[in-house]
Amino acid sequence: MSSLNGSTSNLTQNQNPLVADRDVRTVLSVTPCVVFLYVNGVMLFTLKKKAVFQDSSRYILFGHMLWLDTFNLLMSVVLFVIAVSRISLLKVVCVILLVAATVIYQVSILNLALMSLERYVAICFPLRHADITTFRRTHMAIGVVWMISWIKPMSELTIFYAFDSTNTQVNLLCSKTTFFRLPIYKKLDVAFACIYFVSVCFIVIFTYASIAIVAKSASGDKISAKKANKTVLLHLIQLGLGAASILVDVIFVRTDVMTFLNVMYFCFITFIIFPKCLSPLIYGLRDQAFSSLFKYYFTCAKGKIKPVFIEGHI
């Protein structure tokens, strides 16, 4: 009996550091998400307070990015907490969560291309910008992006329900590694990652180069062109972080469990949480018209006069 108690005590002592480490990581991951969910909420509220924010294609796409980043943060936190807590879910619930996370993530990548193209039209074709980027066309472009983003998850679901017989459990740990086990899923990940990221990267680089040419030319609004070029450069950095998050999972060789968990946690913070937290704040504060109104509502308008709208540039 004493030896059994001693073994139990040693097991408990060995588990305590792991549990404490897990709790610390959970707090460090969830806390910034909660803070920036509030920031995103204030930004979305600000976009509803001015008619120009709802009619301009620039602000429509910015608002779309805010919604996507908000849902991305929510889905990331939910899946992270489920994974670290080792909570078993019904298969249908897990399918809904994974499909939603995949679609939203891919829409956020493709939305970068739309935002870059909008800046390209605004700088390179300023006289036709209002005619090309109308309210209706902007929403149609967003709708097309959403339809394209459903191709990969629908392909995975078709394979899963029609051909995959490796996972017959009703309750399971909800993650892509435990849910989609066949090699075909990894091939789909690589194929669609290459298609999406190469396409978006081409668009972003093309718009960056085109705007740079305008910025160096003797005619045109050079200040606006330089601001637009910095915006497109931010899109390229975001795209690079998104590509890195996928490539790490594809090329990383799994050694021991702890090393794998440490690398995945680092990638989760660096490539998923960090960009989704900071990118809306960076874009919002770079726009003069939006930032002044955002600061007014963020501080709950305490002791401040509501700012007058002055058009700025994202």
Coordinates of all heavy atoms in Angstrom, one line a residue, residues 144-216:
V144 N -18.2 36.3 -53.8 CA -17.4 35.4 -54.6 C -16.3 34.8 -53.8 O -16.0 33.6 -53.8 CB -16.8 36.1 -55.8 CG1 -15.7 35.2 -56.5 CG2 -17.9 36.5 -56.8
V145 N -15.6 35.6 -52.9 CA -14.6 35.1 -52.0 C -15.1 34.1 -51.1 O -14.4 33.0 -50.9 CB -13.9 36.3 -51.3 CG1 -13.2 35.8 -50.1 CG2 -13.0 37.1 -52.2
W146 N -16.3 34.3 -50.5 CA -16.9 33.3 -49.6 C -17.2 32.0 -50.4 O -16.9 30.9 -49.8 CB -18.1 33.8 -49.0 CG -17.9 34.7 -47.8 CD1 -17.7 36.0 -47.7 CD2 -17.7 34.2 -46.4 NE1 -17.4 36.4 -46.4 CE2 -17.5 35.3 -45.6 CE3 -17.9 33.0 -45.8 CZ2 -17.3 35.2 -44.2 CZ3 -17.7 32.9 -44.5 CH2 -17.4 34.0 -43.7
M147 N -17.6 32.1 -51.6 CA -17.9 30.8 -52.4 C -16.7 30.1 -52.7 O -16.6 28.8 -52.5 CB -18.7 31.2 -53.6 CG -20.1 31.6 -53.4 SD -21.1 31.7 -55.0 CE -20.3 33.2 -55.7
I148 N -15.6 30.8 -53.0 CA -14.3 30.1 -53.3 C -13.8 29.4 -52.1 O -13.2 28.3 -52.1 CB -13.3 31.1 -53.9 CG1 -13.7 31.7 -55.2 CG2 -11.9 30.5 -53.9 CD1 -12.9 32.8 -55.8
S149 N -14.0 30.0 -50.9 CA -13.4 29.5 -49.7 C -14.1 28.3 -49.2 O -13.6 27.5 -48.3 CB -13.5 30.6 -48.6 OG -12.7 31.7 -48.9
W150 N -15.3 28.0 -49.8 CA -16.0 26.7 -49.4 C -15.5 25.5 -50.2 O -15.9 24.4 -49.8 CB -17.5 26.9 -49.6 CG -18.2 27.5 -48.5 CD1 -18.6 28.8 -48.3 CD2 -18.7 26.8 -47.3 NE1 -19.2 29.0 -47.1 CE2 -19.3 27.8 -46.5 CE3 -18.7 25.5 -46.9 CZ2 -19.9 27.5 -45.2 CZ3 -19.2 25.2 -45.7 CH2 -19.8 26.1 -44.9
I151 N -14.7 25.7 -51.2 CA -14.3 24.6 -52.1 C -13.5 23.5 -51.3 O -13.8 22.3 -51.3 CB -13.5 25.1 -53.3 CG1 -14.3 26.0 -54.1 CG2 -12.9 23.9 -54.1 CD1 -13.5 26.6 -55.3
K152 N -12.5 24.0 -50.5 CA -11.7 23.1 -49.8 C -12.4 22.3 -48.7 O -12.4 21.1 -48.6 CB -10.5 23.8 -49.2 CG -9.6 22.9 -48.3 CD -8.4 23.7 -47.8 CE -7.4 22.8 -47.0 NZ -8.0 22.6 -45.7
P153 N -13.2 23.0 -47.8 CA -13.9 22.2 -46.7 C -14.9 21.3 -47.3 O -15.2 20.2 -46.8 CB -14.5 23.3 -45.9 CG -14.4 24.6 -46.6 CD -13.3 24.4 -47.5
M154 N -15.6 21.7 -48.4 CA -16.6 20.8 -49.0 C -15.9 19.5 -49.6 O -16.4 18.4 -49.6 CB -17.3 21.5 -50.1 CG -18.3 22.6 -49.6 SD -19.5 21.9 -48.4 CE -20.4 20.8 -49.5
S155 N -14.7 19.7 -50.2 CA -13.9 18.6 -50.7 C -13.6 17.6 -49.5 O -13.7 16.4 -49.7 CB -12.6 19.1 -51.4 OG -12.9 19.9 -52.4
E156 N -13.1 18.2 -48.4 CA -12.8 17.4 -47.3 C -14.0 16.6 -46.7 O -13.9 15.5 -46.3 CB -12.2 18.3 -46.2 CG -10.8 18.8 -46.5 CD -10.2 19.7 -45.5 OE1 -11.0 20.3 -44.7 OE2 -9.0 19.8 -45.4
L157 N -15.1 17.3 -46.6 CA -16.4 16.7 -46.1 C -16.8 15.6 -47.1 O -17.3 14.5 -46.6 CB -17.5 17.7 -46.0 CG -17.3 18.7 -44.8 CD1 -18.5 19.7 -44.8 CD2 -17.3 18.0 -43.5
T158 N -16.7 15.8 -48.4 CA -17.1 14.8 -49.3 C -16.3 13.5 -49.1 O -16.8 12.4 -49.1 CB -16.9 15.3 -50.8 OG1 -17.8 16.4 -50.9 CG2 -17.3 14.2 -51.8
I159 N -14.9 13.7 -49.0 CA -14.0 12.5 -48.8 C -14.3 11.9 -47.4 O -14.4 10.6 -47.3 CB -12.6 13.0 -48.8 CG1 -12.2 13.5 -50.2 CG2 -11.6 11.9 -48.4 CD1 -10.9 14.1 -50.3
F160 N -14.6 12.7 -46.4 CA -14.8 12.2 -45.1 C -16.0 11.3 -45.0 O -16.0 10.2 -44.4 CB -14.9 13.3 -44.1 CG -15.1 12.9 -42.7 CD1 -14.0 12.5 -41.9 CD2 -16.3 12.8 -42.1 CE1 -14.1 12.1 -40.6 CE2 -16.5 12.4 -40.7 CZ -15.4 12.0 -40.0
Y161 N -17.1 11.7 -45.6 CA -18.4 11.0 -45.5 C -18.6 9.9 -46.5 O -19.3 9.0 -46.4 CB -19.6 11.9 -45.5 CG -19.8 12.7 -44.2 CD1 -19.5 14.0 -44.1 CD2 -20.3 12.0 -43.1 CE1 -19.7 14.7 -42.9 CE2 -20.4 12.7 -41.9 CZ -20.1 14.1 -41.8 OH -20.3 14.7 -40.6
A162 N -17.8 10.1 -47.7 CA -18.0 9.1 -48.7 C -17.0 8.0 -48.7 O -17.3 6.8 -49.1 CB -18.0 9.8 -50.1
F163 N -15.7 8.3 -48.3 CA -14.6 7.3 -48.4 C -13.9 7.0 -47.1 O -13.3 6.0 -47.0 CB -13.6 7.8 -49.5 CG -14.2 8.2 -50.8 CD1 -14.4 9.5 -51.2 CD2 -14.7 7.2 -51.7 CE1 -14.9 9.8 -52.4 CE2 -15.3 7.5 -52.9 CZ -15.4 8.9 -53.2
D164 N -13.9 7.9 -46.2 CA -13.1 7.8 -45.0 C -13.8 6.9 -44.0 O -14.9 7.2 -43.5 CB -12.8 9.2 -44.4 CG -11.7 9.1 -43.3 OD1 -11.3 8.0 -42.9 OD2 -11.3 10.2 -42.8
S165 N -13.2 5.8 -43.7 CA -13.7 4.8 -42.7 C -12.8 4.7 -41.5 O -12.9 3.7 -40.7 CB -14.0 3.5 -43.3 OG -12.7 2.9 -43.9
T166 N -11.8 5.6 -41.3 CA -10.8 5.5 -40.3 C -11.3 6.0 -38.9 O -10.8 5.7 -37.9 CB -9.5 6.2 -40.6 OG1 -9.8 7.6 -40.8 CG2 -8.9 5.6 -41.9
N167 N -12.3 6.8 -39.0 CA -12.8 7.5 -37.8 C -14.3 7.2 -37.6 O -15.2 7.8 -38.2 CB -12.6 9.0 -37.9 CG -12.5 9.6 -36.5 OD1 -13.1 9.1 -35.5 ND2 -11.8 10.7 -36.4
T168 N -14.6 6.2 -36.8 CA -16.0 5.8 -36.5 C -16.4 6.2 -35.1 O -17.6 5.8 -34.7 CB -16.1 4.3 -36.7 OG1 -15.2 3.6 -35.8 CG2 -15.8 3.9 -38.1
Q169 N -15.6 6.9 -34.4 CA -16.0 7.3 -33.0 C -17.1 8.4 -33.1 O -17.2 9.2 -34.0 CB -14.8 7.9 -32.3 CG -13.7 6.9 -32.0 CD -12.5 7.5 -31.3 OE1 -11.7 8.1 -32.0 NE2 -12.5 7.5 -30.0
V170 N -18.0 8.3 -32.0 CA -19.1 9.3 -31.9 C -18.5 10.5 -31.2 O -18.8 11.7 -31.6 CB -20.3 8.7 -31.2 CG1 -21.3 9.8 -31.0 CG2 -20.9 7.6 -31.9
N171 N -17.7 10.3 -30.1 CA -17.1 11.4 -29.4 C -15.6 11.3 -29.7 O -15.0 10.2 -29.6 CB -17.4 11.3 -27.9 CG -18.8 11.5 -27.6 OD1 -19.5 12.3 -28.2 ND2 -19.4 10.6 -26.7
L172 N -14.9 12.5 -29.9 CA -13.5 12.5 -30.2 C -12.9 13.8 -29.8 O -13.6 14.8 -29.7 CB -13.2 12.1 -31.6 CG -13.6 13.2 -32.7 CD1 -12.9 12.8 -34.0 CD2 -15.1 13.3 -32.9
L173 N -11.6 13.8 -29.7 CA -10.9 15.1 -29.5 C -10.9 15.9 -30.8 O -10.5 15.4 -31.8 CB -9.4 14.8 -29.1 CG -9.2 14.2 -27.7 CD1 -7.8 13.8 -27.5 CD2 -9.8 15.1 -26.6
C174 N -11.3 17.1 -30.7 CA -11.6 17.9 -31.9 C -10.3 18.6 -32.4 O -10.0 19.7 -31.9 CB -12.7 18.9 -31.7 SG -13.3 19.7 -33.2
S175 N -9.7 18.1 -33.4 CA -8.6 18.7 -34.1 C -8.4 18.1 -35.4 O -8.9 17.0 -35.7 CB -7.3 18.6 -33.3 OG -6.8 17.2 -33.3
K176 N -7.8 18.8 -36.4 CA -7.6 18.3 -37.7 C -6.8 17.0 -37.8 O -7.0 16.1 -38.6 CB -7.1 19.4 -38.6 CG -8.0 20.5 -38.9 CD -7.6 21.3 -40.1 CE -7.8 20.6 -41.4 NZ -7.6 21.4 -42.6
T177 N -5.8 17.0 -36.9 CA -4.9 15.8 -36.9 C -5.6 14.5 -36.4 O -5.2 13.4 -36.8 CB -3.7 16.1 -35.9 OG1 -4.1 16.4 -34.6 CG2 -2.8 17.2 -36.5
T178 N -6.5 14.6 -35.5 CA -7.3 13.5 -35.1 C -8.5 13.2 -35.9 O -9.0 12.0 -35.9 CB -7.7 13.6 -33.6 OG1 -8.5 14.8 -33.5 CG2 -6.5 13.8 -32.7
F179 N -9.0 14.2 -36.6 CA -10.2 14.0 -37.3 C -10.0 13.6 -38.8 O -10.6 12.7 -39.3 CB -11.0 15.4 -37.3 CG -12.4 15.2 -37.6 CD1 -13.3 14.8 -36.6 CD2 -13.0 15.5 -38.8 CE1 -14.7 14.6 -36.8 CE2 -14.3 15.4 -39.0 CZ -15.2 15.0 -38.0
F180 N -9.1 14.3 -39.5 CA -8.8 14.0 -40.9 C -7.4 13.3 -40.9 O -6.4 13.9 -40.9 CB -8.7 15.3 -41.7 CG -10.0 16.0 -41.7 CD1 -10.1 17.4 -41.4 CD2 -11.2 15.4 -42.1 CE1 -11.2 18.1 -41.4 CE2 -12.4 16.1 -42.2 CZ -12.4 17.4 -41.8
R181 N -7.5 11.9 -41.0 CA -6.3 11.1 -40.8 C -5.7 10.6 -42.1 O -4.5 10.4 -42.2 CB -6.6 9.9 -39.9 CG -7.1 10.2 -38.5 CD -7.4 9.0 -37.8 NE -7.9 9.3 -36.4 CZ -8.3 8.3 -35.6 NH1 -8.2 7.1 -35.9 NH2 -8.7 8.7 -34.4
L182 N -6.5 10.5 -43.1 CA -6.0 10.0 -44.4 C -4.9 10.9 -45.0 O -5.0 12.1 -44.9 CB -7.1 9.7 -45.4 CG -8.2 8.7 -45.0 CD1 -9.3 8.6 -46.0 CD2 -7.5 7.3 -44.8
P183 N -4.0 10.3 -45.8 CA -3.0 11.1 -46.5 C -3.6 12.1 -47.5 O -3.0 13.2 -47.7 CB -2.1 10.1 -47.2 CG -2.3 8.8 -46.4 CD -3.7 8.9 -45.9
I184 N -4.7 11.8 -48.0 CA -5.4 12.7 -49.0 C -5.7 14.1 -48.4 O -5.6 15.1 -49.1 CB -6.7 12.0 -49.6 CG1 -7.2 12.9 -50.7 CG2 -7.7 11.8 -48.4 CD1 -6.4 12.9 -51.9
Y185 N -5.9 14.1 -47.1 CA -6.2 15.4 -46.5 C -5.0 16.3 -46.5 O -5.1 17.5 -46.7 CB -6.8 15.2 -45.1 CG -8.1 14.5 -45.0 CD1 -8.2 13.3 -44.2 CD2 -9.2 14.9 -45.6 CE1 -9.3 12.6 -44.1 CE2 -10.4 14.2 -45.5 CZ -10.5 13.1 -44.8 OH -11.6 12.4 -44.7
K186 N -3.9 15.7 -46.2 CA -2.6 16.5 -46.2 C -2.3 17.0 -47.6 O -1.9 18.2 -47.8 CB -1.5 15.6 -45.7 CG -0.1 16.3 -45.7 CD -0.1 17.4 -44.6 CE -0.1 16.9 -43.2 NZ 0.0 18.0 -42.2
K187 N -2.6 16.2 -48.6 CA -2.4 16.6 -50.0 C -3.3 17.8 -50.4 O -2.9 18.7 -51.1 CB -2.6 15.4 -51.0 CG -1.5 14.3 -50.8 CD -1.8 13.2 -51.7 CE -0.7 12.1 -51.6 NZ -1.0 10.9 -52.4
L188 N -4.6 17.7 -49.9 CA -5.5 18.8 -50.1 C -5.0 20.1 -49.5 O -5.1 21.1 -50.1 CB -6.9 18.4 -49.6 CG -7.8 17.5 -50.5 CD1 -9.1 17.2 -49.7 CD2 -8.1 18.2 -51.8
D189 N -4.5 19.9 -48.2 CA -4.0 21.1 -47.5 C -2.9 21.8 -48.3 O -2.9 23.0 -48.5 CB -3.5 20.7 -46.2 CG -4.6 20.6 -45.1 OD1 -5.6 21.2 -45.4 OD2 -4.3 19.9 -44.1
V190 N -1.9 21.0 -48.8 CA -0.8 21.5 -49.6 C -1.3 22.1 -50.9 O -0.8 23.3 -51.2 CB 0.2 20.4 -49.8 CG1 1.4 21.0 -50.7 CG2 0.8 19.9 -48.5
A191 N -2.2 21.5 -51.6 CA -2.6 21.9 -52.9 C -3.4 23.3 -52.8 O -3.1 24.2 -53.5 CB -3.5 20.9 -53.5
F192 N -4.3 23.3 -51.9 CA -5.1 24.5 -51.7 C -4.3 25.7 -51.1 O -4.5 26.8 -51.5 CB -6.3 24.3 -50.9 CG -7.5 23.7 -51.6 CD1 -7.7 22.3 -51.6 CD2 -8.3 24.5 -52.4 CE1 -8.8 21.8 -52.3 CE2 -9.4 23.9 -53.1 CZ -9.6 22.6 -53.0
A193 N -3.3 25.3 -50.2 CA -2.5 26.4 -49.7 C -1.6 27.0 -50.8 O -1.5 28.2 -50.9 CB -1.6 25.8 -48.6
C194 N -1.1 26.2 -51.7 CA -0.3 26.7 -52.8 C -1.1 27.6 -53.7 O -0.7 28.7 -54.1 CB 0.3 25.5 -53.6 SG 1.6 24.6 -52.7
I195 N -2.3 27.1 -54.0 CA -3.2 27.8 -55.0 C -3.6 29.2 -54.4 O -3.5 30.2 -55.0 CB -4.5 27.0 -55.3 CG1 -4.1 25.8 -56.1 CG2 -5.5 27.8 -56.1 CD1 -5.2 24.8 -56.3
Y196 N -4.1 29.2 -53.1 CA -4.6 30.4 -52.5 C -3.4 31.4 -52.3 O -3.5 32.6 -52.7 CB -5.2 30.1 -51.2 CG -6.6 29.5 -51.3 CD1 -7.1 28.5 -50.4 CD2 -7.5 29.9 -52.3 CE1 -8.4 28.0 -50.5 CE2 -8.7 29.4 -52.5 CZ -9.2 28.4 -51.6 OH -10.4 27.9 -51.7
F197 N -2.3 30.9 -51.7 CA -1.3 31.8 -51.3 C -0.5 32.3 -52.5 O -0.1 33.5 -52.6 CB -0.3 31.2 -50.3 CG -0.9 31.2 -48.9 CD1 -1.4 30.0 -48.4 CD2 -0.8 32.3 -48.1 CE1 -1.9 30.0 -47.1 CE2 -1.4 32.3 -46.9 CZ -1.9 31.2 -46.3
V198 N -0.3 31.5 -53.5 CA 0.4 32.0 -54.7 C -0.5 33.0 -55.5 O 0.0 34.0 -55.9 CB 0.7 30.8 -55.7 CG1 1.2 31.3 -57.0 CG2 1.8 29.9 -55.1
S199 N -1.8 32.7 -55.6 CA -2.7 33.7 -56.2 C -2.7 35.0 -55.5 O -2.6 36.1 -56.1 CB -4.1 33.1 -56.3 OG -4.1 31.8 -57.0
V200 N -2.9 35.0 -54.2 CA -3.0 36.2 -53.4 C -1.7 36.9 -53.4 O -1.6 38.2 -53.5 CB -3.5 35.9 -52.0 CG1 -3.5 37.2 -51.2 CG2 -4.9 35.3 -52.0
C201 N -0.6 36.2 -53.3 CA 0.7 36.8 -53.3 C 1.0 37.5 -54.6 O 1.5 38.6 -54.6 CB 1.8 35.7 -53.1 SG 3.4 36.4 -52.8
F202 N 0.6 36.9 -55.7 CA 0.8 37.5 -57.0 C 0.0 38.8 -57.1 O 0.5 39.9 -57.6 CB 0.3 36.6 -58.1 CG 0.2 37.2 -59.5 CD1 1.4 37.4 -60.3 CD2 -0.9 37.7 -60.0 CE1 1.4 38.0 -61.5 CE2 -1.0 38.3 -61.3 CZ 0.2 38.4 -62.0
I203 N -1.3 38.8 -56.6 CA -2.1 40.0 -56.6 C -1.5 41.1 -55.8 O -1.4 42.3 -56.2 CB -3.5 39.7 -56.2 CG1 -4.2 38.8 -57.2 CG2 -4.4 41.0 -56.0 CD1 -5.6 38.3 -56.8
V204 N -1.1 40.8 -54.6 CA -0.5 41.8 -53.7 C 0.8 42.4 -54.2 O 1.0 43.6 -54.2 CB -0.3 41.1 -52.3 CG1 0.5 42.1 -51.3 CG2 -1.6 40.7 -51.6
I205 N 1.7 41.5 -54.7 CA 2.9 42.0 -55.3 C 2.7 42.9 -56.5 O 3.3 43.9 -56.7 CB 3.9 40.9 -55.6 CG1 4.3 40.2 -54.4 CG2 5.1 41.3 -56.4 CD1 5.2 38.9 -54.6
F206 N 1.7 42.5 -57.4 CA 1.4 43.3 -58.6 C 0.8 44.6 -58.2 O 1.3 45.7 -58.7 CB 0.3 42.5 -59.4 CG -0.3 43.4 -60.5 CD1 0.4 43.6 -61.6 CD2 -1.6 43.9 -60.3 CE1 -0.2 44.4 -62.6 CE2 -2.1 44.7 -61.3 CZ -1.4 44.9 -62.5
T207 N -0.1 44.7 -57.2 CA -0.6 46.0 -56.8 C 0.5 46.8 -56.1 O 0.5 48.0 -56.3 CB -1.8 45.8 -55.8 OG1 -1.4 44.9 -54.7 CG2 -3.0 45.1 -56.5
Y208 N 1.3 46.2 -55.3 CA 2.4 46.9 -54.7 C 3.3 47.6 -55.7 O 3.7 48.8 -55.6 CB 3.2 46.0 -53.8 CG 4.4 46.7 -53.0 CD1 4.1 47.3 -51.8 CD2 5.7 46.7 -53.5 CE1 5.2 48.0 -51.1 CE2 6.7 47.3 -52.9 CZ 6.4 47.9 -51.7 OH 7.5 48.6 -51.0
A209 N 3.7 46.8 -56.7 CA 4.6 47.3 -57.8 C 3.9 48.5 -58.6 O 4.5 49.5 -58.9 CB 5.0 46.2 -58.7
S210 N 2.6 48.3 -58.9 CA 1.9 49.3 -59.6 C 1.8 50.6 -58.9 O 1.9 51.7 -59.4 CB 0.5 48.7 -60.0 OG 0.6 47.6 -60.8
I211 N 1.4 50.5 -57.6 CA 1.3 51.7 -56.7 C 2.7 52.3 -56.6 O 2.8 53.6 -56.5 CB 0.7 51.3 -55.4 CG1 -0.8 50.8 -55.6 CG2 0.7 52.5 -54.4 CD1 -1.4 50.3 -54.3
A212 N 3.7 51.5 -56.5 CA 5.1 52.1 -56.3 C 5.5 52.9 -57.5 O 6.1 54.0 -57.4 CB 6.1 51.0 -56.1
I213 N 5.1 52.5 -58.7 CA 5.3 53.2 -60.0 C 4.6 54.6 -59.9 O 5.2 55.6 -60.3 CB 4.9 52.4 -61.2 CG1 5.8 51.2 -61.3 CG2 5.0 53.2 -62.4 CD1 5.4 50.2 -62.4
V214 N 3.4 54.6 -59.5 CA 2.6 55.8 -59.4 C 3.3 56.7 -58.4 O 3.3 58.0 -58.5 CB 1.1 55.5 -59.0 CG1 0.4 56.8 -58.7 CG2 0.5 54.7 -60.1
A215 N 3.7 56.2 -57.2 CA 4.3 57.0 -56.2 C 5.6 57.7 -56.7 O 5.9 58.8 -56.2 CB 4.6 56.1 -55.0
K216 N 6.3 57.1 -57.6 CA 7.6 57.7 -58.1 C 7.3 58.6 -59.3 O 8.3 59.3 -59.7 CB 8.5 56.5 -58.5 CG 9.1 55.7 -57.3 CD 10.0 54.6 -57.8 CE 10.5 53.8 -56.6 NZ 11.5 52.8 -57.1

